[in-house]
Amino acid sequence: MIHVLAFVTAKPGSRDQVLDHFRANMPAVHAEQGCIEYQPAIDAPGGGAMQEPLGADTFVVVEKWSTMDDLKAHAASSHMAAYGAKVKDLLAGRTIRVLTSAAE
């Protein structure tokens, strides 16, 4: 299984607009071969000292894919290209981490 954590930072005040586009694209992603999980996450209130907040402009995309080939197909899909075009001017940056389990 492939795990992905994508840290997405919107330009100030634009996170909600980016998330609207993201949510609109979720059904297409969920229908892709090998998609196990694909969802955005923001800071949980009340985390206190145990968390370092992402902040008001950032969210994390939590993804799980069956194989690396499934992830690569996702990245090359037309709906991801369309999503990218819609949000490119709203983003300040992003960092993507592609991981595999260390428990095995």
Side-chain angles (χ1 to χ4, degrees):
M1 182 182 317
I2 303 300
H3 304 265
V4 179
L5 297 175
F7 295 81
V8 180
T9 301
K11 291 179 179 174
S14 297
R15 184 178 77 179
D16 287 344
Q17 191 175 357
V18 174
L19 282 169
D20 286 343
H21 289 297
F22 183 94
R23 290 181 193 112
N25 194 42
M26 285 176 65
V29 176
H30 288 160
E32 290 181 53
Q33 178 177 323
C35 180
I36 297 167
E37 180 178 3
Y38 185 83
Q39 66 178 327
I42 59 174
D43 289 320
M50 74 174 160
Q51 78 172 352
E52 180 179 334
L54 295 169
D57 297 318
T58 301
F59 65 97
V60 178
V61 182
V62 179
E63 305 179 39
K64 289 183 185 175
W65 295 90
S66 295
T67 69
M68 185 63 76
D69 286 341
D70 293 334
L71 173 59
K72 288 178 181 179
H74 160 71
S77 68
S78 60
H79 55 268
M80 288 307 295
Y83 164 75
K86 290 174 186 174
V87 300
K88 71 176 185 165
D89 293 333
L90 300 171
L91 299 182
R94 70 179 184 169
T95 301
I96 300 173
R97 304 284 189 228
V98 179
L99 312 164
T100 191
S101 176
E104 301 166 355

